[in-house]
Amino acid sequence: MSGSGWTAPARKYLLSILSIFFTLTGFMAAGADHLSVAVHVVGDGENSAGSGVVKPMKFLRVELHDEIDRSAFKLVEKGLVQAVSENADYVILDLNTYGGAVDAADRIRSALIECEIPVAVFINNQAVSAGALISIACDSIYMKSGATIGAASVVNQSGDVMPDKYQSFMRSMMRSTAEVNGRDPEIAESMVMTDSAKVLSLTVSEAVAAGYCEGEVSSVEDVVRMIAPEAYASGMYEIADQTFSVAERILLVLLSPVLQALFMMMIIGGIYFELQSPGIGFPLAVAVTGAVLYFAPLYIEGLADNWELALFIAGLILLAVEIFVIPGFGVAGVAGIVSVIVSLSFAMIDNDIFRDGNFETVDLSVVVRPFGFVTIVFFVSVALAIYVASRLFPSGMFRNITLNSSLRKEEGFVAASVEECIAPGTTVIAVTPLRPSGKVEYEGRWYDAVLDYGYADKGTALKVTGYGNGRVYCSIQR
């Protein structure tokens, strides 16, 4: 890039990219081993029976009372890992959900089926949609009075039933899951129908009669009583709750959609304000912090891959090239925006759903929803940043990032006409930043001006190259 094009904003944008790049690559190297661990039961060596000590039965309670999403999968996965590490005899999944994402439910289903520790589910009110699939994946089902299980048809965010292709995939999962645990697959399949009048939901008594519930209970203790009556009667049992380290709790909180949207706004807004403000400072710190908070939990939990981080950095570079090297706005700029949106979107998607190569079974809503979410947040962030810069901070520390002065004729501000324009070759001074348009001064008067190439800071000496349409056209003096 020539000296005239390598302006302060270009240097600041490059520094923004480099700061984000080195920060992200730092935690990529540090977090190469993801926290997710496969669930396997390891032999505990010597049996304590020979010592005459009777070990109480241990039940680990995992509470899942939210929408089924990637955070829910991580919660259940960590619970199963804890059960293995603590040599629990049973896992009790305390479940109350109206459903959620199919891909997350499928991953929970797989983890429950593959777990070698028996898992009992306590349906503590509702196990609807994805919750029904998760319940059927457990070894035994217990339901609270008034609870229901079923209604597992695939719907979109508006509640409309998806086409039969998605229902067929869900029906096959329900059937195979029921068969694994010795339940009637026909009943499981009837919970997924395209005709809402035929969708099956079971009450407690109906589920017991159909073999989809081992009994009605009122608490986790009642579940223990039915699973191990002798241990319950003798008091030789222990119910432990799932525990989280401080780091795990922070990661689960950071994965919430609200915070993820906030982090995206920090990235986009921070870069925008950094380009508008003098020097390197707080906006860049906000952008870097937003990028780390957005990508770090996704990467550590195995949701974001290296290619998504690389694509994000590539998008920023393309935007920098479009802004500071190529005049106008074209292919590089569009490619940069698309790259950023794609990287932010795919970082929210579990890449395991694509690795089996069977794209026909992938729920398109799993892909479309993150893309729509990121696109909306992206453009809202840009609009909000522009509004904040122009409206909310007309003075103080932000007065240098917006043009909010009134340009009155009595103060020497005039619109240049063809007759009044300055002769080519005349030297003028930029009185505002030109990116590429702005204001220049000549003999006490201000004129609308446009740079032929590059950008210029306030106070830069410029040479007039021509005029037209009420504007003075300039170039940076070499």
Side-chain angles (χ1 to χ4, degrees):
M1 183 181 295
S2 66
S4 61
W6 189 251
T7 61
R11 292 193 296 270
K12 287 167 33 176
Y13 196 99
L14 177 61
L15 181 58
S16 300
I17 295 174
L18 292 176
S19 299
I20 294 174
F21 173 77
F22 287 117
T23 306
L24 292 179
T25 51
F27 78 74
M28 283 168 58
D33 296 326
H34 295 155
L35 293 181
S36 48
V37 182
V39 177
H40 299 288
V41 176
V42 182
D44 58 356
E46 297 183 2
N47 196 315
S48 60
S51 63
V53 178
V54 179
K55 178 184 176 183
M57 290 189 69
K58 182 167 184 177
F59 297 81
L60 181 69
R61 174 175 173 265
V62 177
E63 185 177 286
L64 182 54
H65 287 187
D66 296 308
E67 182 179 356
I68 306 303
D69 55 15
R70 61 181 180 274
S71 297
F73 165 68
K74 289 300 176 182
L75 183 147
V76 173
E77 183 187 48
K78 292 177 187 297
L80 298 180
V81 171
Q82 180 181 341
V84 170
S85 64
E86 296 181 359
N87 295 317
D89 297 289
Y90 257 89
V91 175
I92 298 179
L93 180 61
D94 189 339
L95 179 68
N96 180 23
T97 181
Y98 288 95
V102 175
D103 63 318
D106 185 30
R107 295 194 70 183
I108 294 174
R109 176 192 78 101
S110 300
L112 293 172
I113 292 175
E114 294 170 4
C115 181
E116 298 180 23
I117 296 177
V119 181
V121 60
F122 168 43
I123 301 179
N124 192 0
N125 197 20
Q126 301 293 341
V128 179
S129 189
L133 177 64
I134 293 170
S135 298
I136 297 173
C138 296
D139 297 282
S140 54
I141 301 174
Y142 301 88
M143 300 175 67
K144 189 176 183 178
S145 177
T148 58
I149 178 175
S153 297
V154 182
V155 298
N156 58 24
Q157 287 182 297
S158 302
D160 300 324
V161 177
M162 298 290 286
D164 191 62
K165 179 176 70 173
Y166 304 100
Q167 311 304 334
S168 176
F169 173 60
M170 189 68 174
R171 283 195 293 268
S172 66
M173 279 203 300
M174 295 287 284
R175 285 182 63 90
S176 63
T177 305
E179 289 173 351
V180 166
N181 290 318
R183 300 188 175 94
D184 186 349
E186 298 295 333
I187 294 177
E189 182 179 5
S190 64
M191 295 181 182
V192 186
M193 303 296 289
T194 55
D195 186 349
S196 60
K198 298 180 181 179
V199 174
L200 179 65
S201 291
L202 300 175
T203 64
V204 179
S205 59
E206 291 170 342
V208 171
Y212 271 69
C213 178
E214 274 64 36
E216 180 179 329
V217 296
S218 59
S219 65
V220 173
E221 286 76 12
D222 281 349
V223 175
V224 174
R225 174 176 57 81
M226 297 193 70
I227 292 175
E230 294 183 0
Y232 181 83
S234 63
M236 295 298 294
Y237 70 93
E238 173 191 358
I239 300 176
D241 285 326
Q242 181 180 7
T243 59
F244 299 94
S245 66
V246 175
E248 289 172 336
R249 289 187 181 277
I250 292 174
L251 286 175
L252 290 174
V253 170
L254 293 179
L255 287 173
S256 70
V258 174
L259 287 181
Q260 290 282 288
L262 177 62
F263 300 149
M264 280 189 279
M265 295 179 73
M266 290 171 62
I267 297 170
I268 299 165
I271 292 176
Y272 174 84
F273 278 113
E274 186 61 41
L275 290 174
Q276 302 298 317
S277 60
I280 300 297
F282 181 71
L284 175 59
V286 170
V288 172
T289 301
V292 172
L293 291 176
Y294 180 83
F295 282 105
L298 296 173
Y299 187 84
I300 292 173
E301 292 293 350
L303 297 172
D305 285 341
N306 293 343
W307 72 268
E308 291 157 346
L309 302 182
L311 185 62
F312 176 73
I313 298 298
L316 295 182
I317 293 174
L318 286 171
L319 286 173
V321 170
E322 182 64 49
I323 293 172
F324 301 110
V325 179
I326 305 174
F329 195 83
V331 175
V334 173
I337 292 176
V338 171
S339 297
V340 170
I341 292 177
V342 169
S343 63
L344 293 173
S345 301
F346 269 99
M348 302 176 69
I349 301 171
D350 182 4
N351 292 299
D352 285 344
I353 65 176
F354 302 108
R355 287 176 181 146
D356 60 0
N358 188 8
F359 296 101
E360 293 185 356
T361 62
V362 175
D363 181 2
L364 289 181
S365 64
V366 174
V367 178
V368 173
R369 184 164 46 191
F371 269 88
F373 177 74
V374 171
T375 302
I376 292 172
V377 172
F378 184 92
F379 288 105
V380 167
S381 300
V382 173
L384 185 60
I386 295 173
Y387 176 80
V388 169
S390 62
R391 298 291 182 183
L392 300 185
F393 302 105
S395 60
M397 64 178 292
F398 290 94
R399 65 181 179 272
N400 292 322
I401 67 174
T402 60
L403 294 175
N404 44 52
S405 301
S406 299
L407 306 181
R408 293 184 289 271
K409 183 176 181 180
E410 56 269 21
E411 296 179 359
F413 302 105
V414 296
S417 64
V418 175
E419 295 80 12
E420 297 170 331
C421 281
I422 311 160
T426 304
T427 299
V428 295
I429 303 297
V431 290
T432 68
L434 274 72
R435 299 175 182 171
S437 61
K439 301 288 182 179
V440 296
E441 180 186 12
Y442 178 69
E443 295 184 348
R445 285 188 171 185
W446 286 26
Y447 298 88
D448 292 319
V450 178
L451 272 180
D452 295 329
Y453 178 83
Y455 291 82
D457 292 327
K458 179 180 178 180
T460 303
L462 307 172
K463 183 174 68 174
V464 176
T465 58
Y467 53 83
N469 299 322
R471 294 180 176 181
V472 177
Y473 291 88
C474 307
S475 64
I476 299 175
Q477 289 191 346
R478 302 178 184 276

